[in-house]
Amino acid sequence: MLEQALLTDMSGRPIAQDGPTSSRDWDEVQEFCRRVYMPYRVRPATPRLLPSATMRSVEVQRITMTRFSYGVPVHLDNFDPAAGNILVLNTIKGALRHKQDEVSDVSTGAGESFVVDCSRTDYWLDADSHHMQLNLTIPHQAMADVAMHWLGFVPDDTLWTRRLAFGGNGSRWYALLCYVVRSVEACGRLKAEPVMARHLEELLCLELLQTWGDGVGLAMRKETMPVTPRYVRQAEEIMSEQADNPPTIGEIARMVGVSARALSDGFRRSRGVTPYDFLRARRLEGLRKALQNPSLGETVTSIAADWGYVNLGALARIYRRRFGELPSHTLAAAKQT
């Protein structure tokens, strides 16, 4: 079922995508990967080896699904934790070798999957020359939101720091991937189906939470799992809701009833980032959404000013490092649709 995933819709037409769907240029491939995954380092098995990459992507609410292959053997490492993303690497064909823990690795083949929260732990992988992936990039915050809504708590790093190989052709996870792919192919582009996109996002996150917990021996029940401190969750809500004009970290700490140091320590223990890192990520995400949905006559300068960005040069650098393109490119693409 997944062998042809994301190639055509239910009518046999290619699924619409902005930008190239294949490339033999390393810069072009790496820009795609920074945008749909996160910044990381890639080294081909042989120096000066050119890629023969497949690059397809579709958004499922906050999740990015990609059909991807370098087309050559590679080693990947130095995944950027500041991006705040979980990777689920689902192998269609070929094989990957993943860092399992500090002393061992594990391989996944066709139909098998691997999950790692790159915002919470380091990671590397080796891919053979035949690999083809159907990967998911899931913001850590999306998983936390689904956990809170459906489970009533957010797991701490006891779960997020564990890497797991799972799935297989007969697994419930594989069946869910097939269902999601068919839904994507039926829509052609999920941006036009927001209700279905939210439904699929929740299905994927909830199933992954349960499978992940079962796989590492953690019962995903409120009474058995350590929880994120209340004041951290409250601070996250404040920063997410007021990202365009946020209070200072000290003001946020007072609003949730703790000191700035206690808030910072709580974020580091339960989220693996500082409150400032969390707020910066929400602000960039909010700016990107504003650029993707501009009002008539808006410019990068006017939208950036609404979000409190005055140094456009610095903004362009951090925006490109986070999303793989310049703010002007995001705005131009939005105006063309």
Side-chain angles (χ1 to χ4, degrees), residues 21 33 64 70 124 136 184 211 225 255 260 268 287 296 318 333-334:
T21 58
C33 292
T64 302
Y70 281 101
W124 58 256
L136 304 178
V184 170
T211 300
M225 288 290 292
M255 292 167 70
R268 288 183 181 278
L287 172 67
L296 184 65
I318 62 174

Side-chain angles (χ1 to χ4, degrees), residues 25-335:
D25 180 85
W26 277 115
D27 289 339
E28 190 171 51
V29 176
Q30 287 182 277
E31 181 175 345
F32 173 84
C33 292
R34 283 193 296 268
R35 176 169 59 84
V36 301
Y37 302 128
M38 69 194 75
Y40 59 85
R41 181 172 61 180
V42 55
R43 289 179 287 177
T46 304
R48 296 184 293 278
L49 187 65
L50 293 178
S52 181
T54 297
M55 307 183 302
R56 290 184 172 273
S57 68
V58 65
E59 294 179 10
V60 184
Q61 196 71 354
R62 288 174 290 180
I63 298 174
T64 302
M65 176 179 286
T66 50
R67 181 186 179 93
F68 180 75
S69 169
Y70 281 101
V72 294
V74 292
H75 175 83
L76 312 181
D77 59 13
N78 287 0
F79 289 81
D80 183 7
N85 288 332
I86 294 168
L87 290 182
V88 187
L89 301 111
N90 308 289
T91 300
I92 297 175
K93 63 180 180 180
L96 301 184
R97 186 168 65 94
H98 314 262
K99 178 177 181 176
Q100 177 69 61
D101 52 40
E102 298 309 314
V103 296
S104 63
D105 55 70
V106 64
S107 294
T108 54
E112 298 175 325
S113 302
F114 190 90
V115 60
V116 55
D117 187 342
C118 294
S119 72
R120 299 298 188 272
T121 189
D122 63 330
Y123 174 59
W124 58 256
L125 72 83
D126 292 320
D128 70 14
S129 59
H130 304 293
H131 71 278
M132 180 64 71
Q133 300 298 123
L134 183 70
N135 296 330
L136 304 178
T137 308
I138 308 177
H140 180 95
Q141 189 60 42
M143 289 283 282
D145 291 345
V146 171
M148 178 56 68
H149 179 73
W150 288 102
L151 305 179
F153 70 99
V154 178
D156 71 358
D157 282 356
T158 307
L159 177 71
W160 307 125
T161 57
R162 303 286 292 276
R163 312 172 191 92
L164 177 70
F166 66 101
N169 287 328
S171 68
R172 195 167 68 183
W173 175 253
Y174 186 87
L176 177 56
L177 285 178
C178 293
Y179 169 70
V180 172
V181 166
R182 292 299 295 269
S183 298
V184 170
E185 293 171 347
C187 297
R189 186 182 279 249
L190 278 177
K191 286 183 179 179
E193 300 286 349
V195 174
M196 175 59 77
R198 288 196 297 271
H199 164 68
L200 295 177
E201 178 192 79
E202 289 204 330
L203 277 177
L204 287 166
C205 289
L206 187 57
E207 179 63 27
L208 182 59
L209 281 165
Q210 296 288 359
T211 300
W212 201 345
D214 290 345
V216 300
L218 297 173
M220 298 298 288
R221 298 191 303 273
K222 188 172 185 178
E223 64 272 17
T224 61
M225 288 290 292
V227 300
T228 300
R230 168 198 53 79
Y231 59 84
V232 170
R233 298 197 303 273
Q234 290 176 332
E236 289 177 333
E237 291 177 3
I238 293 169
M239 288 188 277
S240 297
E241 293 172 358
Q242 303 181 41
D244 58 337
N245 187 25
T248 66
I249 300 301
E251 290 170 339
I252 294 170
R254 287 193 292 273
M255 292 167 70
V256 300
V258 297
S259 68
R261 175 172 291 183
L263 183 63
S264 180
D265 289 344
F267 264 85
R268 288 183 181 278
R269 288 195 307 271
S270 60
R271 297 298 190 232
V273 297
T274 67
Y276 177 76
D277 291 334
F278 179 89
L279 177 58
R280 180 174 60 179
R282 299 294 81 73
R283 285 174 52 74
L284 281 174
E285 290 166 3
L287 172 67
R288 182 172 176 81
K289 289 180 181 178
L291 290 167
Q292 291 173 329
N293 299 279
S295 299
L296 184 65
E298 283 193 306
T299 65
V300 169
T301 301
S302 65
I303 295 173
D306 288 342
W307 282 83
Y309 292 102
V310 294
N311 187 332
L312 295 184
L315 171 61
R317 288 192 295 274
I318 62 174
Y319 189 94
R320 184 167 188 169
R321 187 164 60 246
R322 175 66 178 86
F323 299 113
E325 63 182 12
L326 294 171
S328 57
H329 295 162
T330 303
L331 182 61
K335 289 184 175 181

